[in-house]
Amino acid sequence: HVQLVESGGGSVQAGGSLRLSCEAPGYTYDTYCMGWFRQAPGKEREGVAGIDTDGSTRYADSVKGRFTISKDNAKDTLYLQMNSLKPEDTAMYYCAAAICVWVRGHRVFDASRYNYWGQGTQVTVS
């Protein structure tokens, strides 16, 4: 069982930045594909960014050019750097892990294909 722990959320003004972290002690990010998802009140969970074991990345159109997903395998930590934040980015953000063959290609933002989830960290942009 993989435990994922997010941190780094908070409140920020529009145009500001935050960096989210997702730690998985004792687990290596060179095994699973990873994703960041978010869910705003009354809305469905949506994929934001994904990263494969080879480091290749994909982004939702709504965050392209503003968000960057990265990972540090040595530290077992996944990151989401969020710049130029907008009020519509306000949501609970979750990191998730999946077996890569299930989420490559167009399935990268299919939340049902991810096996493990963190507890979430709140991001509020005003």
Side-chain angles (χ1 to χ4, degrees):
H1 182 72
V2 178
Q3 283 190 311
L4 303 175
V5 181
E6 301 99 333
S7 61
S11 297
V12 65
Q13 291 189 336
S17 299
L18 285 173
R19 189 176 79 156
L20 306 183
S21 298
C22 175
E23 296 182 52
Y27 164 74
T28 57
Y29 282 127
D30 60 358
T31 303
Y32 284 78
C33 284
M34 302 298 299
W36 283 100
F37 291 76
R38 66 186 181 187
Q39 188 167 19
K43 294 188 176 182
E44 292 187 357
R45 190 168 296 190
E46 63 172 349
V48 173
I51 188 166
D52 205 318
T53 52
D54 64 359
S56 58
T57 57
R58 294 191 66 174
Y59 297 92
D61 289 343
S62 59
V63 305
K64 277 181 183 176
R66 300 189 299 122
F67 290 12
T68 302
I69 186 172
S70 62
K71 59 178 180 172
D72 186 331
N73 289 344
K75 295 183 178 180
D76 294 339
T77 303
L78 179 74
Y79 302 100
L80 185 67
Q81 178 67 44
M82 304 185 296
N83 299 328
S84 302
L85 282 162
K86 305 174 181 179
E88 51 264 45
D89 294 319
T90 295
M92 185 73 78
Y93 283 71
Y94 301 88
C95 66
I99 297 173
C100 288
V101 68
W102 294 350
V103 297
R104 284 184 172 139
H106 66 278
R107 296 183 292 257
V108 63
F109 294 142
D110 183 347
S112 68
R113 293 178 175 269
Y114 283 77
N115 307 82
Y116 305 107
W117 292 83
Q119 82 290 350
T121 185
Q122 178 67 38
V123 172
T124 302
V125 185
S126 60

